[in-house]
Amino acid sequence: MYSERRSEAVPGAVVWSKRLEHDTAAPARILPDGCMDLIWTGGGLLVAGPDSAAHLVPGRAGDGYVGLRFAPGTGPLVLGVPASELTDQRVPLDQLWPQRQVRESAERIWDAADRAAALQAVAVTLGRAPARPARVPEAVLRGVRQRLTVTEIARGLALSERQLRRLCLDAFGYGPKTLERVLRLGRALDQARTGLPFAQVAAVAGYADQAHLTREVRALAGLPLGRLLAEEGGLQE
């Protein structure tokens, strides 16, 4: 069982919860999306850094999670750690924040009637949840979504490409080109899940052709697109 909704406490964030009713033979496939998550696991709090490729998570019946998924570029502002230090990692929160605070926060979430609200309160009261998006990450996201080149994005921010890359590593966990690949994958999957033919998915999402789409999906998701959709219980090629 999985559900999500927009956070009312942390701008741009999504609150989600998941509970496994049965043991699963195959691990859950978490796809890269440029985001970072703060997750309560029942046993404590951890941070999921930005993924550069699919991350496989085993599951057992009874496992339950409540998570707060920060919008791309905002997680480091809340957690106080550059995203690049957490790329492709799952790190206990007490390695980033004082252990006593983390322990007390986890206990409050455990006792709370609304654990999602309690988790958001941790991000707001102990973290540094921003009231508005930071200028550079927001401009980078806008430029990537408009399919501008790295040179064009850097020029628009009056930065060198090296400066832009360093700022992107801090905000997103990877450089602008990898960020573009990750966000493009998300666009492609959104289209493919509607049943659009894969050749049209490639054109709409911004790939050179269907072969390019095929290579990128396999590289980032670890499966061909048809098998990925089947795994999700969606449409098949």
Side-chain angles (χ1 to χ4, degrees), residues 24-185:
T24 56
R29 186 178 302 272
I30 309 302
L31 300 178
D33 57 8
C35 298
M36 298 172 64
D37 292 61
L38 177 61
I39 304 172
W40 181 79
T41 66
L45 287 160
L46 63 82
V47 175
D51 292 321
S52 60
H55 181 79
L56 301 178
V57 181
R60 298 173 299 176
D63 286 351
Y65 308 91
V66 179
L68 183 62
R69 182 180 305 118
F70 303 109
T74 63
L77 301 177
V78 178
L79 299 168
V81 179
S84 58
E85 295 186 12
L86 301 173
T87 302
D88 293 321
Q89 297 186 59
R90 273 54 180 164
V91 178
L93 184 61
D94 60 13
Q95 292 186 15
L96 309 177
W97 290 1
Q99 292 184 1
R100 180 179 176 180
Q101 288 184 335
V102 173
R103 183 177 66 254
E104 291 175 349
S105 296
E107 290 171 354
R108 284 198 298 273
I109 295 171
W110 177 268
D111 293 333
D114 186 341
R115 288 171 176 162
L119 180 64
Q120 292 174 84
V122 170
V124 172
T125 59
L126 296 184
R128 290 175 276 181
R132 64 189 64 183
R135 183 182 72 90
V136 171
E138 185 71 6
V140 171
L141 285 170
R142 186 166 55 250
V144 168
R145 287 165 178 158
Q146 293 173 351
R147 305 181 190 178
L148 301 181
T149 67
V150 174
T151 300
E152 289 170 333
I153 296 172
R155 185 183 301 122
L157 289 166
L159 298 171
S160 69
E161 291 186 28
R162 180 175 296 181
Q163 290 172 319
L164 177 64
R165 175 174 171 76
R166 185 172 65 250
L167 291 171
C168 283
L169 289 173
D170 287 346
F172 304 109
Y174 22 68
K177 291 184 179 180
T178 299
L179 177 65
E180 178 186 20
R181 294 176 65 209
V182 166
L183 297 182
R184 185 173 55 194
L185 173 68

Side-chain angles (χ1 to χ4, degrees), residues 167-225:
L167 291 171
C168 283
L169 289 173
D170 287 346
F172 304 109
Y174 22 68
K177 291 184 179 180
T178 299
L179 177 65
E180 178 186 20
R181 294 176 65 209
V182 166
L183 297 182
R184 185 173 55 194
L185 173 68
R187 292 197 303 269
L189 291 176
D190 286 343
Q191 296 295 326
R193 289 169 183 139
T194 69
L196 195 68
F198 290 175
Q200 293 183 34
V201 169
V204 171
Y207 293 92
D209 51 30
Q210 186 174 339
H212 184 203
L213 167 68
T214 298
R215 291 193 302 273
E216 283 290 279
V217 172
R218 187 185 291 272
L220 294 174
L223 287 176
L225 182 53

